[in-house]
Amino acid sequence: MIRAISHVLAAVFNNPSDFNRRWNQNDSPPSGDGWPARWEGQWISATNGHHGALRCLLTQNTATDFSATFYAVYCHSLRVSYTVPLRGKKQDAQLMLEGDYDLGKLAGGNYHYSGHATIDEFRCTYECKYDRGTFELFPVKSIK
């Protein structure tokens, strides 16, 4: 119960307007080596079965450094946006990604992310002290 309340508080004090502005730009280029920039799908908790809509903006900063800005829906109405730094390594036709990010005590503390992206899918696992699960995302070709 306390964790559910803390997720609500984290969402209340979060402002996803920058994410929405960036998501709605019509000229958002692919990320770096041609990886899609816009992704859409869902997150699923393996711990408690919770799930929700998920969007991601993937940006390549250097050859091996990426940023994934996630916009997640929790409990059908709470929206949270945050950016995770990821290390990337190209392996055949896949981009292997991994990183850690502290979302703060209200959201569960330190999260570890590990996954892969191709031009057709972005799959990632997440894990923190209280939760673990998966992200399943697919490229968004156009927002028009």
Side-chain angles (χ1 to χ4, degrees), residues 4 7 43-52 74-75 126 131-132 134:
H7 282 288
W43 63 270
I44 304 165
S45 170
T47 302
N48 56 32
H50 292 168
H51 57 88
Y74 181 76
C75 290
Y126 69 89
D131 195 14
R132 64 181 172 79
T134 58

Side-chain angles (χ1 to χ4, degrees), residues 84-122:
V84 176
L86 298 170
R87 296 172 302 282
K89 178 181 174 184
K90 189 174 178 182
Q91 186 175 25
D92 299 323
Q94 294 188 32
L95 176 62
M96 308 306 289
L97 295 162
E98 187 172 19
D100 296 285
Y101 191 67
D102 187 348
L103 292 176
K105 288 183 181 181
L106 289 180
N110 191 57
Y111 280 70
H112 177 74
Y113 300 86
S114 179
H116 73 276
T118 67
I119 61 168
D120 297 318
E121 70 177 10
F122 179 8

Side-chain angles (χ1 to χ4, degrees), residues 6-18:
S6 70
H7 282 288
V8 169
L9 290 173
V12 167
F13 292 108
N14 188 276
N15 184 358
S17 62
D18 182 56

